[in-house]
């Protein structure tokens, strides 16, 4: 089947209007309508429920249409990546590295890996999307990104392959001119932490609730934020100690800022790079994954 039909179906769904989609695609409305009928005949089932209106049509995907829409996005993304890879086969590594990251992980990704990778491969460009776990998986499934960075415990392994993992621990991040300023400290107990106002990220809340809910209930939590960076903002103001998950290589910036690893919880946590099952990464993604593996 001509993959242009797949692409045209994607545009039709995204615009929600036959006339507007036809204008974007530079084809006639009857031609686009004929393509939709062909697809439905090919699959033997309706892909769209269309409610005719005076000004615009109201589209609603059928269950078959939803599956086809998701797969069509993947196939079109693969076709584009294949074309780019073949075209670049005898040239330097270049193109766009597309990564989706769960909240606040992109900062560490850039500091630890992408900075060095960009120096080695200066022709590579980057698209990094950060959000909730649902945003990460949606970006991967619709082909907007190729690689996801997220918490291993939240990965649906029926849909995604886990490539590499790194262990994470909880760290206390704080202003050393506000907290524990009278002496240098290289360790902290949970009893000491419980006496301080705390800002927690969503990840640290999950880690504590799953591993030590009784401990969590005894903490003086003044702020819970979606991202690690927001929890750190409170700490930088000197208002709280931030409790956030980090790996051993991540850094905390700021002349007065310190971090100390907290005692391990009963359940270990890891962050992972993931891809959609069965997806063949583009040349630039393969190059990055090899580079990442070499730094582990």
């Amino acid at each position: 089947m001509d993959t242009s039909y797949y692409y045209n179906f994607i545009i039709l769904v995204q615009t929600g209007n036959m006339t507007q989609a036809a204008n974007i695609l530079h084809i006639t409305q009857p031609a686009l309508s004929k393509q939709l009928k062909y697809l439905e005949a090919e699959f033997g089932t309706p892909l769209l429920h269309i409610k005719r209106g005076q000004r615009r049509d109201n589209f609603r995907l059928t269950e078959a249409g939803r599956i086809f829409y998701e797969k069509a996005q993947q196939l079109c993304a693969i076709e584009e990546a294949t074309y780019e890879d073949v075209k670049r086969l005898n040239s330097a590594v270049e193109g766009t590295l597309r990564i989706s990251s769960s909240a606040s992980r992109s900062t560490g990704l850039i500091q630890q890996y992408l900075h060095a990778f960009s120096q080695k491969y200066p022709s590579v460009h980057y698209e990094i999307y950060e959000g909730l776990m649902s945003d990460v998986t949606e970006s991967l499934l619709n082909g907007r990104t190729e690689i996801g960075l997220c918490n291993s415990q939240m990965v649906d392994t029926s849909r995604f392959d886990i490539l590499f993992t790194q262990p994470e621990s909880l760290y206390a991040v704080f202003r050393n001119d506000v907290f524990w300023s009278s002496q240098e400290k290289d360790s902290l107990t949970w009893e000491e932490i419980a006496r301080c106002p705390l800002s927690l990220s969503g990840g640290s809340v999950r880690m504590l609730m799953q591993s030590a809910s009784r401990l969590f209930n005894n903490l003086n939590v003044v702020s819970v934020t979606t991202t690690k960076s927001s929890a750190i903002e409170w700490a930088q103001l000197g208002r709280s100690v931030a409790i956030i998950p980090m790996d051993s290589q991540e850094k905390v910036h700021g002349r007065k800022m310190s971090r100390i690893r907290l005692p391990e919880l009963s359940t270990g946590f890891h962050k992972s790079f993931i891809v959609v099952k069965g997806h063949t990464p583009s040349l630039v993604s393969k190059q990055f994954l090899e580079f990442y593996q070499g730094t582990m």
Side-chain angles (χ1 to χ4, degrees):
M1 185 184 294
D2 189 346
T3 54
S4 66
Y5 283 25
Y6 289 58
Y7 176 77
N8 293 353
F9 182 80
I10 293 169
I11 298 299
L12 177 60
V13 173
Q14 291 177 345
T15 58
N17 180 269
M18 189 74 70
T19 302
Q20 185 179 353
N23 289 337
I24 292 173
L25 296 168
H26 303 292
I27 62 176
T28 65
Q29 183 176 335
L32 183 58
S33 180
K34 186 176 180 181
Q35 287 183 14
L36 175 61
K37 291 179 181 177
Y38 175 84
L39 288 171
E40 292 181 329
E42 182 74 15
F43 290 106
T45 185
L47 301 176
L48 293 175
H49 289 307
I50 303 177
K51 184 178 180 181
R52 305 295 183 183
Q54 292 183 344
R55 296 190 176 183
R56 63 178 294 168
D57 298 331
N58 181 19
F59 292 165
R60 181 169 60 85
L61 285 167
T62 63
E63 181 61 20
R66 183 193 63 76
I67 294 171
F68 177 67
Y69 175 67
E70 185 177 286
K71 298 299 182 183
Q73 290 181 96
Q74 294 179 28
L75 288 169
C76 288
I78 291 171
E79 181 184 46
E80 180 182 354
T82 302
Y83 175 80
E84 291 179 355
D85 286 352
V86 173
K87 188 177 178 181
R88 291 193 299 267
L89 191 60
N90 296 317
S91 62
V93 175
E94 58 183 18
T96 302
L97 181 61
R98 298 178 175 89
I99 298 177
S100 50
S101 164
S102 55
S104 293
R105 294 189 185 276
S106 60
T107 299
L109 176 66
I110 293 168
Q111 293 172 349
Q112 294 170 240
Y113 306 106
L114 295 187
H115 175 63
F117 184 76
S118 66
Q119 290 180 317
K120 188 173 183 179
Y121 303 105
S123 297
V124 174
H125 297 83
Y126 303 87
E127 292 180 10
I128 302 173
Y129 303 93
E130 190 174 73
L132 301 175
M133 183 64 182
S134 57
D135 300 316
V136 174
T137 56
E138 182 180 354
S139 293
L140 290 170
L141 290 170
N142 65 26
R144 189 183 189 189
T145 60
E146 288 192 273
I147 306 170
L149 178 60
C150 59
N151 187 320
S152 301
Q153 281 77 7
M154 300 179 68
V155 177
D156 179 358
T157 53
S158 68
R159 307 177 82 182
F160 301 96
D161 287 326
I162 296 178
L163 302 180
F164 311 112
T165 63
Q166 278 187 299
E168 290 187 313
S169 301
L170 286 180
Y171 282 80
V173 177
F174 55 91
R175 283 257 304 259
N176 52 37
D177 62 335
V178 177
F179 296 94
W180 304 293
S181 57
S182 60
Q183 58 180 323
E184 291 188 5
K185 295 184 72 69
D186 56 10
S187 65
L188 287 169
T189 66
W190 282 109
E191 288 74 16
E192 290 174 299
I193 289 296
R195 292 195 290 268
C196 300
L198 304 176
S199 54
L200 275 65
S201 69
S204 60
V205 171
R206 284 192 297 273
M207 291 175 77
L208 286 165
M209 290 297 291
Q210 291 180 32
S211 300
S213 58
R214 183 176 298 178
L215 170 63
F216 176 78
N217 292 332
N218 292 329
L219 298 178
N220 179 21
V221 179
V222 297
S223 172
V224 175
T225 65
T226 302
T227 65
K228 294 196 297 187
S229 55
S230 297
I232 293 174
E233 283 291 334
W234 283 106
Q236 288 176 330
L237 293 172
R239 300 293 301 276
S240 67
V241 175
I243 306 298
I244 56 175
M246 305 176 74
D247 68 48
S248 59
Q249 300 180 54
E250 287 185 69
K251 294 179 175 61
V252 175
H253 295 282
R255 185 171 57 87
K256 299 178 181 180
M257 301 301 293
S258 297
R259 77 165 194 167
I260 294 178
R261 183 175 174 176
L262 295 173
E264 290 293 343
L265 302 173
S266 59
T267 303
F269 286 79
H270 298 78
K271 64 180 178 182
S272 299
F273 280 110
I274 65 173
V275 295
V276 175
K277 274 190 177 297
H279 173 68
T280 302
S282 64
L283 184 64
V284 68
S285 294
K286 288 179 180 178
Q287 201 70 40
F288 169 73
L289 292 171
E290 290 176 5
F291 174 86
Y292 173 83
Q293 190 173 23
T295 64
M296 291 179 66

